[in-house]
Every structure is written in C-alpha cells, then in structure tokens.
C-alpha cells in the first residue's frame, strides 16, 4: 500500500461564487470587513490592556477571544483578497495544510474561550460573594492555557491525518479556503480514519462546549427566577447579553452548516454560511461587546480623556 505519496504540489481554490463584473465590489466589501475586524478586535485588546477597570476575569477572556477572532479572520481573508485581486487561485500543498491547521486552531480556541466566559458569568450571578475567590487569576490563566493546549492538539491531529493522505486526481477545492471536508473529498486514499476522528473530536470540540454553555445559562436563569426582581433581571441581561449574542452567532452558523446539513445543501449555501462565521462573526463581536457594554464604553471614554489631558499638558 502506498502511503505519504503526494503527487499534487498545489491546490486551486475556486473562491466565492461571484460574477467577474462584481469582483471589484466584493473585493472592496471584504477588504472593509477585514479592516473592521482588525481595527475592532485590536481596539478591544488595547483598551483592556490600558484600562485598569477592565482587569477582571471576564475581560481577560474577552481579550483572548478578540485575539482569536483577529487571527481566525487573518487565516482566510487575506488569501481570499489576494485571489480576488490577482485571479491566481493556487495555494501550495504545505500552505493549504498550514491554513487548515490555523483555521481549526483559532476556530476551536474561540469555542473553548466562550465556555470559560460562560462559566465566569455563571459564578458572577450564582455565587457573587465567592466570585473573587473562585475566579482567581491562577484559574483564569489555567483555563486559557488549557484552551490553547486542547485546540493545538485537535488541530495538529487533523493536520497530521490529512498529511498522510494521497492526492493524485482533482486538485480543485470548491471553497475560498482549505476546508478539511473539502480536502477529504479530493483524497484518492482511504479517509475512514479521518472521518471517524472528525465525528468523535467534533463532538468533543463543538457539542460538549455548547452543552456546557447551555448548562451555565440554565443555572443562571434558574438563579434569577428564584429571586425575581426587575433590577436583578436587568443586571443579568446586561451582564450576559453580549456573551449570549456572540454565542448565538458563533454556534448558530456552525450547527447550521456542520451538524444540521440538509440533503440539498449546495456548495454556494455552504460557502455563504462559511463566510458568516469566518468573516461576519469576528467582525461583529467587537461591536456587540462595545455597543452593549457599559464597561467598554466607560473605558473608551476614560482612555480618550487621558489622552486629551496628556495632549493638553504637553502643550
């Protein structure tokens, strides 16, 4: 049996199903969205670093999530923009595997960070008196490090299993990035092990984190209902509203695409839904956390006020 025989040296990415006359419009649109993603997430990272009021567990996790979103978009969008501009859709074999690795890594990392944020909200609302002692800096760092280690292992496992496959026929990927499922369809060697690992690890990386988030919010709402008050409900929604919005956006598209596929799912539909969670979600997250969060608005005002004061004194 032949193994590790890779005849193909590159793949061709079909990109997005866009008419040639509309390429420039969509190029400008995706460039604007990517720049918004970079600017928005960098703003959150810098703001949390500069403002001492945001040095809390929730914003520690949010800073890591913003970094993950920034990198997640950077894995696919620059290559898409390059392809749209140069009309050269090729990507080297090694580059394709690298893109797949980092796509899985940062996508999974966001999933685990959302779980950590849900646990933080659960402790803040259900055990407010013990919040400081439970959500210690040591625990927060451990949760983030664990998230990085688990996602690194998961992404590396899929990359190594894909690297052992032979690609000796069609090299056209009907997508705008090197999607794992699309690569498996092009392989001319046995992919049963890869498919089994996807099924098992997919449950561990997507289903279990999603269920943990659901359980956290079930306990939160149960706690609120035990002492129903308008002030308590407003506080709970102001505390959890942003996180719930991000969770709905993130898991909604992934579940719709991967866990609830319909028999008539077209390549165009899958591509559009992929754009939702690779481009739109990372772009919207900073807006969700800044527009619906008083702490972020206050921090932004304090940072600008300090900057204005420094400029006045420098004159």
């Amino acid at each position: 049996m032949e193994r590790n025989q890779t005849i193909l040296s590159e793949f061709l990415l079909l990109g997005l199903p866009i008419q040639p006359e509309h390429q420039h419009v969509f190029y400008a649109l995706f460039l604007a969205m990517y720049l918004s993603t970079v600017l928005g997430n960098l703003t959150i990272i810098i703001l949390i670093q500069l403002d001492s009021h945001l040095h809390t567990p929730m914003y520690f996790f949010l800073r890591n999530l913003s970094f993950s979103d920034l990198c997640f978009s950077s894995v696919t969008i620059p290559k898409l923009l390059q392809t749209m501009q140069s009309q050269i859709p090729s990507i080297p074999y090694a580059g394709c595997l690298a893109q797949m690795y980092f796509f899985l890594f940062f996508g999974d990392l966001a999933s685990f960070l959302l779980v950590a944020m849900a646990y933080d909200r659960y402790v803040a609302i259900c055990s407010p008196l013990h919040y400081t002692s439970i959500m210690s800096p040591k625990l927060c760092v451990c949760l983030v490090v664990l998230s990085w280690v688990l996602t690194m292992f998961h992404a590396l496992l899929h990359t190594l299993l894909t690297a052992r496959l032979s690609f000796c026929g069609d090299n056209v990927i009907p997508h705008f990035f090197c999607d794992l499922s699309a690569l498996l369809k092009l392989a001319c060697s046995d992919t049963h092990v890869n498919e089994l690992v996807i099924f098992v690890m997919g449950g561990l990386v997507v289903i279990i984190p999603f269920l943990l988030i659901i359980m956290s919010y079930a306990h939160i709402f149960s706690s609120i209902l035990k002492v129903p008050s308008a002030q308590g409900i407003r506080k709970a929604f102001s505390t959890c509203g942003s996180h719930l919005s991000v969770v709905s956006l993130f898991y909604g598209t992934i579940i719709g695409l991967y866990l609830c596929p319909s028999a008539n799912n077209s390549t165009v539909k899958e591509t559009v839904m992929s754009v939702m969670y690779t481009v739109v979600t990372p772009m919207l997250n900073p807006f969700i956390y800044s527009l619906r969060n008083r702490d972020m608005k206050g921090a932004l005002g304090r940072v600008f006020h300090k900057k204005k004061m420094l400029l006045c004194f420098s004159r």
Side-chain angles (χ1 to χ4, degrees):
M1 185 176 75
E2 295 182 3
R3 296 184 64 183
N4 296 325
Q5 180 186 4
T6 305
I7 298 174
L8 298 180
S9 61
E10 65 179 19
F11 293 98
L12 299 178
L13 298 170
L14 281 187
L16 299 172
I18 301 171
Q19 296 296 327
E21 59 269 22
H22 299 146
Q23 284 280 351
H24 295 298
V25 175
F26 278 94
Y27 177 84
L29 176 64
F30 280 107
L31 179 61
M33 292 172 75
Y34 178 63
L35 292 176
S36 297
T37 301
V38 173
L39 182 62
N41 284 290
L42 275 179
T43 300
I44 286 182
I45 293 169
I46 295 170
L47 203 58
I48 293 173
Q49 182 65 33
L50 292 178
D51 194 272
S52 59
H53 293 84
L54 300 181
H55 293 176
T56 63
M58 181 64 179
Y59 293 104
F60 174 70
F61 296 133
L62 177 57
R63 184 170 58 179
N64 280 273
L65 180 64
S66 294
F67 176 76
S68 175
D69 283 341
L70 175 60
C71 295
F72 188 53
S73 282
S74 299
V75 170
T76 56
I77 305 308
K79 177 59 183 175
L80 172 63
L81 292 172
Q82 180 200 353
T83 302
M84 292 176 73
Q85 187 180 43
S86 64
Q87 298 298 311
I88 301 174
S90 63
I91 182 171
Y93 173 80
C96 191
L97 287 183
Q99 188 186 56
M100 186 189 75
Y101 171 81
F102 287 110
F103 178 83
L104 291 170
F105 177 77
F106 288 112
D108 296 342
L109 182 60
S111 179
F112 283 106
L113 289 173
L114 287 172
V115 175
M117 294 170 78
Y119 178 68
D120 174 80
R121 295 302 84 201
Y122 161 73
V123 176
I125 293 176
C126 298
S127 303
L129 299 178
H130 303 286
Y131 177 77
T132 306
S133 58
I134 294 174
M135 297 304 297
S136 63
K138 184 179 178 180
L139 177 63
C140 294
V141 171
C142 286
L143 288 174
V144 170
V145 170
L146 181 63
S147 299
W148 279 76
V149 171
L150 290 175
T151 52
M152 193 180 299
F153 168 74
H154 179 247
L156 185 62
L157 176 62
H158 282 301
T159 306
L160 292 176
L161 286 174
T162 305
R164 60 183 276 278
L165 299 175
S166 298
F167 299 92
C168 46
D170 188 11
N171 70 334
V172 178
I173 300 175
H175 223 307
F176 64 93
F177 66 94
C178 291
D179 183 55
L180 176 58
S181 59
L183 280 173
L184 293 185
K185 291 176 183 177
L186 297 180
C188 55
S189 53
D190 184 54
T191 60
H192 283 96
V193 174
N194 300 69
E195 291 165 0
L196 178 63
V197 172
I198 289 174
F199 179 77
V200 175
M201 297 301 290
L204 294 175
V205 173
V206 179
I207 302 298
I208 291 180
F210 182 65
L211 291 177
L212 288 173
I213 292 173
I214 295 297
M215 288 172 58
S216 296
Y217 277 103
H219 282 93
I220 288 172
F221 291 132
S222 175
S223 177
I224 294 170
L225 292 175
K226 286 178 182 177
V227 190
S229 67
Q231 185 179 0
I233 292 172
R234 278 198 302 271
K235 183 181 178 181
F237 276 105
S238 66
T239 305
C240 304
S242 299
H243 182 253
L244 267 176
S245 301
V246 172
V247 167
S248 303
L249 201 59
F250 181 81
Y251 283 103
T253 51
I254 290 179
I255 290 173
L257 182 58
Y258 292 111
L259 302 182
C260 300
S262 60
N264 59 351
N265 256 15
S266 64
T267 304
V268 174
K269 180 182 175 183
E270 291 179 0
T271 304
V272 170
M273 293 188 74
S274 296
V275 168
M276 278 296 296
Y277 74 86
T278 58
V279 185
V280 179
T281 301
M283 180 191 70
L284 290 180
N285 285 355
F287 293 101
I288 292 172
Y289 277 105
S290 59
L291 294 177
R292 300 188 57 166
N293 193 304
R294 291 181 182 178
D295 293 337
M296 293 296 293
K297 291 177 183 177
L300 193 62
R302 285 190 294 271
V303 168
F304 275 116
H305 180 69
K306 286 180 183 178
K307 187 177 179 181
K308 193 180 291 185
M309 292 291 289
L310 287 173
L311 287 173
C312 290
F313 283 122
S314 63
R315 291 174 184 175

